[in-house]
Amino acid sequence: MVDNDILDGLKNALILVVEDDNDLRLAIERPLKRRCKALYSASSGKEGLKLFREKRPHIVITDINLPELSGLDMAKEIRALSSEVAIIIITAFGNEENLIRSYNIGACSLLKKPIDLDELFMILLSNAKKTLDKGFIEINEEFSYNPENQTLYHQGKSVELTKKETKILDLLIKSKGNPVPYDEFQSRIWGTTPMTLDALRMHINSIRKKSFQEIVKNFSGVGYRFCRTLSD
């Protein structure tokens, strides 16, 4: 069995497990539950797709033969929603058709049942590093941001922001800590509609209330900047 300390490499990963075999699903979940940032599980393809849309995990582990929607059909829809997510397919039938469909979907691995959990965990570790390196931005120990879908997460759960708050936060984060001047908020967010400093301040304060105070700092007379507070 992979050493638990090695599984610490998954500590920032959001993982979705879709498997209708309860025993196998639990066998996969148990060692991961306390090692990844958040673990979601589903027993059908339809439920798995719904969870993906809501939670946007980094990695999806799915069986092929699932009720309501097959694992491959679910994975195809997930891939259409995200080019970055790592998809791991598990199946009792490693035939050529499954291999071709998994490849066409962009699955990173196809494992035949009975699966070797050590092999699965090593694949998870490898893909977590690749996906996290090019995907999520860790803001602090509790908050992260996915620039692909412009979503803020608190301990793995999406934070509901208004459309304007989402645009403001995305602009601040993509400025990489550099101050964003007021006139850039005007041109990039408000466009031709006049912006007041009170309106901008109201949206900034709302973002702070939904996350934490230090996420955005004010530069008096200049604008605002995004601040990461992740400890080393």
Side-chain angles (χ1 to χ4, degrees):
M1 183 70 182
V2 172
D3 191 291
N4 280 336
D5 288 340
I6 295 176
L7 292 180
D8 280 345
L10 299 172
K11 65 183 179 181
N12 292 320
L14 310 179
I15 300 174
L16 170 62
V17 180
V18 190
E19 171 59 71
D20 61 337
D21 181 326
N22 289 335
D23 290 340
L24 177 56
R25 190 174 66 251
L26 288 172
I28 294 170
E29 289 176 0
R30 281 191 194 105
L32 296 178
K33 213 156 197 174
R34 290 187 294 175
R35 298 291 172 178
C36 60
K37 190 165 190 174
L39 182 70
Y40 314 110
S41 65
S43 56
S44 72
K46 187 175 179 181
E47 184 187 2
L49 182 58
K50 181 175 182 290
L51 273 173
F52 181 83
R53 284 179 170 142
E54 291 174 357
K55 307 299 182 182
R56 295 289 176 147
H58 304 106
I59 302 171
V60 176
I61 305 167
T62 182
D63 192 3
I64 288 181
N65 293 317
L66 295 170
E68 298 181 323
L69 183 69
S70 80
L72 288 174
D73 288 337
M74 178 196 72
K76 185 177 179 181
E77 294 208 35
I78 285 173
R79 178 58 73 216
L81 293 169
S82 171
S83 61
E84 303 292 345
V85 62
I87 300 173
I88 299 169
I89 306 289
I90 53 178
T91 180
F93 308 102
N95 56 43
E96 187 176 356
E97 182 185 354
N98 286 341
L99 284 168
I100 292 171
R101 288 194 66 194
S102 298
Y103 174 79
N104 288 338
I105 289 165
C108 57
S109 291
L110 188 146
L111 296 177
K112 190 174 179 181
K113 294 180 182 179
I115 65 170
D116 182 328
L117 289 177
D118 281 357
E119 182 181 2
L120 172 62
F121 296 149
M122 293 310 294
I123 291 169
L124 279 172
L125 287 164
S126 172
N127 283 282
K129 187 176 189 312
K130 291 175 188 174
T131 306
L132 289 168
D133 283 350
K134 64 183 179 182
F136 280 57
I137 297 167
E138 297 299 317
I139 298 172
N140 66 11
E141 284 75 11
E142 294 187 4
F143 286 89
S144 59
Y145 182 76
N146 184 349
E148 183 185 8
N149 62 7
Q150 298 185 342
T151 302
L152 179 68
Y153 292 91
H154 178 234
Q155 296 181 335
K157 296 181 180 179
S158 59
V159 176
E160 190 173 339
L161 299 175
T162 67
K163 287 183 179 179
K164 191 148 284 183
E165 289 165 3
T166 298
K167 289 179 179 179
I168 289 169
L169 183 61
D170 190 64
L171 175 60
L172 286 163
I173 289 176
K174 287 178 178 175
S175 296
K176 298 180 179 178
N178 296 310
V180 178
Y182 299 128
D183 58 359
E184 190 168 349
F185 286 109
Q186 170 67 72
S187 62
R188 299 280 295 276
I189 309 297
W190 270 261
T192 57
T193 303
M195 177 198 81
T196 65
L197 293 184
D198 283 342
L200 176 58
R201 190 179 301 113
M202 177 189 72
H203 290 296
I204 294 289
N205 286 336
S206 180
I207 292 169
R208 286 168 171 162
K209 286 176 183 177
K210 293 175 181 179
S211 54
F212 60 100
Q213 183 66 26
E214 296 79 14
I215 192 170
V216 180
K217 287 193 175 180
N218 178 40
F219 277 70
S220 183
V222 178
Y224 294 91
R225 77 177 179 90
F226 162 71
C227 295
R228 292 175 77 241
T229 59
L230 193 66
S231 59
D232 295 328

